[in-house]
Amino acid sequence: MALIVQKFGGTSVGTVERIQQVAEKVKKFRENGDDIVVVVSAMSGETNRLIDLAKQITDNQPVARELDVMISTGEQVTIALLAMALIKRGVEAVSYTGNQVRILTDNAHTKARILQIDDTRIRADLAAGKVVVVAGFQGVDEQGNITTLGRGGSDTTGVALAAALKADECQIYTDVDGVYTTDPRVVPRAQRLEKITFEEMLEMASLGSKVLQIRSVEFAGKYNVPLRVLHSFQEGPGTLITLDEEESMEQPIISGIAFNRDEAKLTIRGVPDVPGIAFKILGPVSGANIEVDMIVQNVAHDNTTDFTFTVHRNDYQNALQVLEKTASELGAREVIGDTNIAKVSIVGVGMRSHAGVASRMFEALAKETINIQMISTSEIKVSVVIEEKYLELAVRALHTAFELDAPAKRTE
Ligand code: ADP
Ligand code: ASP
Ligand code: MG
């Protein structure tokens, strides 16, 4: 008998029919004798709908605490509906909000981190033969305020519960049958991966693949939670996220391609090329709580230089204001902003043992005459910033260049 944590995402509980299907599935596992904790997201579209309401009332500036009070309600609806559907099928079940379990988080509203999970209640219910249904995406801080864990946060609830309960497996059920070489909605010939390492999955998630929330992968790696991504309603092995990086002959150089349209680029031109200039430019940006991603400083000429960096698109206007102020203080020539950019990244532990991976990437982009605006590399990834309109073309070209395409289907 195993203890399994199963997380079902928004589309998998998007209608009453789907919730019934999930209940049928959980019932089957239960009948096999497994102990089951189910984590559910809000019905698909619901979190967006709630955020939109808040924006309408507050001119786009909702107070974070109150936003959390509201957006946590989406998951409260689905836990109750799923528990009802289970009980109707003769399966003993009980639902809990994050607060009721006591999923303790810090007080960083809308992006809180889980600090501790009290498993007493869940363990007692499991011992009594019940299926426990827990609301994803939410917790409570020391003061009793409701918090949420950031978009996609139900994944993290699932993994954190699995870690706390020392579950045998955490199964993330979604609308694709595993983790693919890239988003199958963009590249139809993307292939499902049997396995991917935590390290690679973490890079993929950080670089824009939203199939798993970054923090859920961090948690799973830290506590060594066996994690699998599966399709909610199709049978199949899914993708296992593993620790081991086995050296097989067939190990591909690149495991996957990630992309991100959520960034914007800012350039300050003609700043004095003197020690401390990077700090003078980026200090005020981080002082305004804006995270900087990629950074490039050009080679100086005439004792002045240009400095370019990227930020999340939501932070673009703020960053631009901060930078314009810095520019006038430093007597810079100009500030240029660009929101029509996208970042494409290739990821793979195989890169460690292969030379020339980056140049192969640049060659593939050159063949499509896609201009590279910025480059950054680390041990297992290479990222480039390009014009947004070439994003899909770039991802497809790279997918082909690194031999990730599934064999073409024969048309009879
Ligand atoms: P859920 O609501 O179940 O949490 P998400 O929409 O958050 O589902 O995540 C699943 C989606 O992630 C897929 O529908 C797919 O379009 C997207 N996705 C992006 N990159 C990948 C990838 N490499 N492999 C699989 N899916 C991916
Ligand atoms: N409902 C939340 C969201 O849409 C959490 C989740 O689905 O994981 O971001
Ligand atoms: Mg998700």
Side-chain angles (χ1 to χ4, degrees):
M1 200 178 76
L3 169 54
I4 307 174
V5 175
Q6 303 184 318
K7 178 257 170 179
F8 290 88
T11 37
S12 311
V13 293
T15 61
V16 165
E17 292 71 36
R18 293 222 169 124
I19 292 175
Q20 314 257 33
Q21 272 179 278
V22 169
E24 286 294 332
K25 189 174 182 108
V26 172
K27 182 179 177 195
K28 278 203 193 110
F29 273 91
R30 188 70 199 113
E31 284 170 353
N32 263 338
D34 294 330
D35 280 341
I36 308 289
V37 175
V38 187
V39 173
V40 283
S41 295
M43 295 167 87
S44 60
E46 180 64 5
T47 310
N48 286 343
R49 188 184 73 86
L50 293 169
I51 292 173
D52 191 56
L53 286 178
K55 285 186 173 166
Q56 285 180 40
I57 285 247
T58 61
D59 290 335
N60 267 332
Q61 304 280 331
V63 182
R65 181 191 180 278
E66 305 310 325
L67 188 61
D68 276 352
V69 169
M70 184 180 57
I71 60 180
S72 61
T73 60
E75 273 72 8
Q76 189 166 341
V77 171
T78 41
I79 52 168
L81 289 174
L82 181 59
M84 288 175 201
L86 285 165
I87 293 164
K88 197 178 133 222
R89 284 167 176 75
V91 180
E92 281 190 77
V94 58
S95 71
Y96 294 121
T97 62
N99 187 12
Q100 288 175 310
V101 173
R102 206 138 193 271
I103 297 180
L104 183 70
T105 72
D106 61 18
N107 62 4
H109 285 290
T110 74
K111 45 177 184 284
R113 281 180 180 271
I114 295 177
L115 301 175
Q116 205 188 321
I117 292 181
D118 184 349
D119 64 1
T120 331
R121 221 164 167 176
I122 297 181
R123 286 214 185 270
D125 288 323
L126 290 175
K130 290 183 190 162
V131 169
V132 183
V133 184
V134 179
F137 179 56
Q138 54 179 265
V140 63
D141 72 4
E142 287 279 9
Q143 275 69 48
N145 299 300
I146 295 173
T147 56
T148 64
L149 310 177
R151 299 310 304 268
S154 299
D155 296 333
T156 303
T157 306
V159 176
L161 273 171
L165 294 164
K166 299 188 178 59
D168 295 288
E169 188 162 277
C170 180
Q171 303 173 339
I172 305 286
Y173 287 98
T174 183
D175 56 0
V176 277
D177 64 346
V179 178
Y180 275 67
T181 46
T182 192
D183 190 338
R185 287 180 214 287
V186 170
V187 180
R189 287 176 72 182
Q191 304 193 63
R192 181 178 58 83
L193 299 162
E194 279 300 316
K195 282 182 176 184
I196 182 168
T197 65
F198 282 117
E199 203 185 0
E200 288 171 319
M201 193 62 236
L202 195 58
E203 285 284 4
M204 291 280 281
S206 313
L207 295 166
S209 297
K210 290 178 181 139
V211 59
L212 285 174
Q213 199 199 29
I214 304 170
R215 280 185 194 159
S216 72
V217 188
E218 276 171 4
F219 240 104
K222 190 165 165 196
Y223 296 99
N224 200 8
V225 177
L227 182 62
R228 198 182 282 278
V229 176
L230 301 135
H231 196 288
S232 297
F233 307 119
Q234 291 168 13
E235 291 300 314
T239 299
L240 184 68
I241 327 288
T242 66
L243 263 184
D244 57 305
E245 199 179 292
E246 53 188 61
E247 285 295 326
S248 86
M249 293 292 290
E250 273 150 63
Q251 186 174 45
I253 303 171
I254 296 304
S255 299
I257 301 171
F259 52 86
N260 184 354
R261 302 173 202 266
D262 296 338
E263 290 192 22
K265 188 176 80 164
L266 295 113
T267 301
I268 179 167
R269 299 192 57 193
V271 291
D273 184 30
V274 292
I277 197 70
F279 177 63
K280 280 207 177 114
I281 293 168
L282 294 179
V285 176
S286 72
N289 250 325
I290 299 170
E291 232 176 276
V292 170
D293 181 24
M294 281 161 103
I295 305 170
V296 170
Q297 183 178 342
N298 285 357
V299 177
H301 45 88
D302 315 331
N303 296 324
T304 69
T305 188
D306 302 339
F307 199 93
T308 303
F309 58 92
T310 62
V311 297
H312 195 283
R313 238 177 245 191
N314 292 345
D315 291 327
Y316 172 70
Q317 285 302 339
N318 279 344
L320 195 62
Q321 269 178 18
V322 172
L323 197 61
E324 267 160 2
K325 188 157 170 276
T326 309
S328 69
E329 282 164 17
L330 295 175
R333 209 159 36 239
E334 62 178 333
V335 169
I336 308 165
D338 186 355
T339 51
N340 293 316
I341 59 152
K343 182 167 78 173
V344 184
S345 311
I346 55 174
V347 174
V349 289
M351 256 185 233
R352 290 197 180 111
S353 48
H354 285 84
V357 177
S359 62
R360 191 159 156 196
M361 178 186 200
F362 305 153
E363 184 187 13
L365 296 173
K367 271 195 193 145
E368 302 292 341
T369 55
I370 297 170
N371 189 38
I372 299 173
Q373 304 178 4
M374 298 172 89
I375 301 170
S376 90
T377 65
S378 75
E379 213 191 348
I380 66 161
K381 72 123 203 272
V382 184
S383 300
V384 297
V385 167
I386 59 171
E387 200 179 333
E388 187 179 5
K389 70 176 182 198
Y390 297 120
L391 176 63
E392 302 202 342
L393 176 63
V395 174
R396 287 198 200 108
L398 293 170
H399 202 266
T400 306
F402 285 99
E403 293 163 14
L404 297 174
D405 290 345
K409 282 205 189 84
R410 262 198 307 162
T411 42
E412 303 291 321

